[in-house]
Amino acid sequence: MALAQEQTLGVENTVNTTVDKIELALTTIITKVSNAIPNLLLGLVLLFIGLFFVRTLLKIIDRRFESRNVDPSLRGFLRSVISFILYALLIITVISNVGIQTTSFIAVMSAVALGVGSALQGSLSNFAGGVLILIFRPYEVGDYIENNSGTEGTVQKIDLLYTTLINAKGIMVFSPNGPLANSVIRNFTKISSRRIDYAIGISYNDNIKVAREVILKVISQEKRVLQTPAPEVFVDALADSSVNLIVRMWTERADYWSTYSSLQEKIKVALDEANISIPFPQQELHIIKGDTKELDA
C-alpha cells in the first residue's frame, strides 16, 4: 500500500510540474505576443503605406519613361530593377520595425552581390555601356556608325550587352557596349552632308595652276557636289616625288559614296587629257665615272 501511494504521489507531482511548465510557457507566449502586438500593428501599417508609396512611385517612373521616350527594352529592365529595390527596402523596413534583426541578412546579401559583381565584371561593364547608350542615344537603329577601333556598320539592334551592326561587306558584327560607349563614336547618319577629300600628287614639272583649274572644272560639272561651302584645291606638301594637292568638296550624305568613286575617276581622266602626270614614288641614281686605274692597281 505504501509503495502504491508513493507512486501515485510521484505521478501527481510529475503532472503538476508539467502543467506548471505549460502554464509558464503559455504565459510567456501570451506576454510576448501582447508586447509584439503594437509592433505588428505598426508593421502592418508600414506595409500598407509602403505598398501604396511603391506603386505610386512606379506609376510616376512609367510616365517619366514615356515622356522621355526611353527605349522599351531599357524601360522594362529599369522598372524591374527599381521595383525590386523598392520592395526589398520595404520588406527590410517592416521586418526591422517588427523586431526581427536584419543585420545578418543585409550582410549576406551584400556579400552575395559583391561576389556576383566580381564574377560578372566584364558583362556588367557592357551592361552599363548599354544603359548609357539607350539613355543618351548617340546612335539609333538604322544609323551608320564608326568607333576608334575601326568597327563600323549600320546599326541593326541595340541590346543591353551588345550592339549588332551590318558592315559594308554585309557581315554581322556584335560590338560590346562597354568599349563602344567609352570610345569616340562617329555617326554618319545624323549629318546632312559630308566632305569628300582627295590627296592627289602631280609632277614637279607640271603647272599647279593648270592642275587646279582642271580639277575644279571636273567638280563644277558634277551636280551632286554642293557649292556651299565652295570646293577648293590647294597644295598640301612638297613631297619627295610629287607636289601633293588636297581636293575638298561637300555633298549630300546619301550621295557621298557614289560621288566619291565617280569623281575620282573623272579627275584622273581629266588630268591625263591635260598631260598632267601623277607620279609614283621613285629615286634618282647618279653614277659618277672616275679614274679606274687606281682601282685596277
Side-chain angles (χ1 to χ4, degrees):
M1 290 291 293
L3 180 61
Q5 291 178 353
E6 290 179 358
Q7 291 177 349
T8 302
L9 291 173
V11 171
E12 291 178 353
N13 291 332
T14 303
V15 171
N16 292 333
T17 302
T18 303
V19 171
D20 292 338
K21 290 181 178 179
I22 293 173
E23 290 180 352
L24 180 61
L26 290 174
T27 302
T28 303
I29 292 172
I30 292 172
T31 302
K32 289 183 177 180
V33 170
S34 299
N35 294 333
I37 287 177
N39 291 334
L40 290 174
L41 293 176
L42 178 61
L44 290 174
V45 172
L46 289 175
L47 179 62
F48 286 114
I49 295 175
L51 289 174
F52 174 78
F53 173 77
V54 170
R55 290 169 183 171
T56 303
L57 185 59
L58 289 176
K59 290 180 181 178
I60 295 173
I61 292 174
D62 288 337
R63 287 196 294 267
R64 294 291 292 176
F65 282 162
E66 292 177 1
S67 63
R68 292 181 174 270
N69 195 25
V70 178
D71 188 89
S73 59
L74 179 62
R75 186 187 309 175
F77 179 82
L78 289 179
R79 191 186 188 282
S80 300
V81 172
I82 295 173
S83 176
F84 174 79
I85 294 174
L86 291 176
Y87 280 117
L89 291 175
L90 175 60
I91 293 173
I92 292 174
T93 302
V94 171
I95 291 176
S96 61
N97 279 276
V98 170
I100 301 175
Q101 296 295 327
T102 58
T103 305
S104 58
F105 174 76
I106 295 174
V108 171
M109 292 298 295
S110 300
V112 171
L114 181 61
V116 172
S118 300
L120 301 176
Q121 186 175 1
S123 297
L124 290 177
S125 174
N126 292 333
F127 167 75
V131 171
L132 293 175
I133 290 171
L134 290 171
I135 290 177
F136 295 104
R137 294 180 177 273
Y139 55 84
E140 299 176 354
V141 174
D143 291 354
Y144 190 90
I145 65 171
E146 179 185 13
N147 68 350
N148 284 349
S149 63
T151 302
E152 61 179 324
T154 303
V155 179
Q156 296 294 308
K157 187 178 180 182
I158 305 174
D159 293 321
L160 287 174
L161 296 180
Y162 292 91
T163 293
T164 306
L165 306 172
I166 301 294
N167 65 13
K169 297 181 180 179
I171 300 174
M172 184 173 290
V173 179
F174 297 92
S175 179
N177 286 334
L180 194 61
N182 293 322
S183 66
V184 176
I185 300 174
R186 303 176 186 88
N187 192 327
F188 298 100
T189 305
K190 298 298 184 183
I191 57 177
S192 59
S193 59
R194 289 186 62 180
R195 192 180 75 184
I196 297 176
D197 292 88
Y198 297 132
I200 301 175
I202 63 173
S203 172
Y204 274 93
N205 296 325
D206 294 324
N207 191 305
I208 297 175
K209 292 182 179 181
V210 174
R212 181 184 293 112
E213 291 174 356
V214 169
I215 295 173
L216 290 175
K217 183 178 179 181
V218 174
I219 295 174
S220 65
Q221 295 173 349
E222 178 56 63
K223 296 180 179 180
R224 291 172 293 185
V225 175
L226 302 177
Q227 298 304 312
T228 305
E232 56 183 346
V233 180
F234 57 90
V235 175
D236 178 59
L238 302 176
D240 294 337
S241 304
S242 63
V243 177
N244 293 339
L245 303 180
I246 295 296
V247 182
R248 287 179 178 172
M249 72 208 78
W250 290 81
T251 184
E252 295 291 338
R253 174 180 55 82
D255 298 329
Y256 176 81
W257 288 112
S258 59
T259 307
Y260 182 92
S261 58
S262 64
L263 262 182
Q264 190 165 225
E265 180 179 351
K266 291 177 181 178
I267 290 174
K268 174 64 170 67
V269 172
L271 291 175
D272 290 343
E273 292 176 352
N275 294 321
I276 297 176
S277 60
I278 300 178
F280 52 85
Q282 53 187 304
Q283 292 181 343
E284 292 185 358
L285 179 62
H286 298 275
I287 300 177
I288 301 176
K289 294 183 179 181
D291 191 358
T292 61
K293 292 181 179 180
E294 296 181 359
L295 294 176
D296 294 337

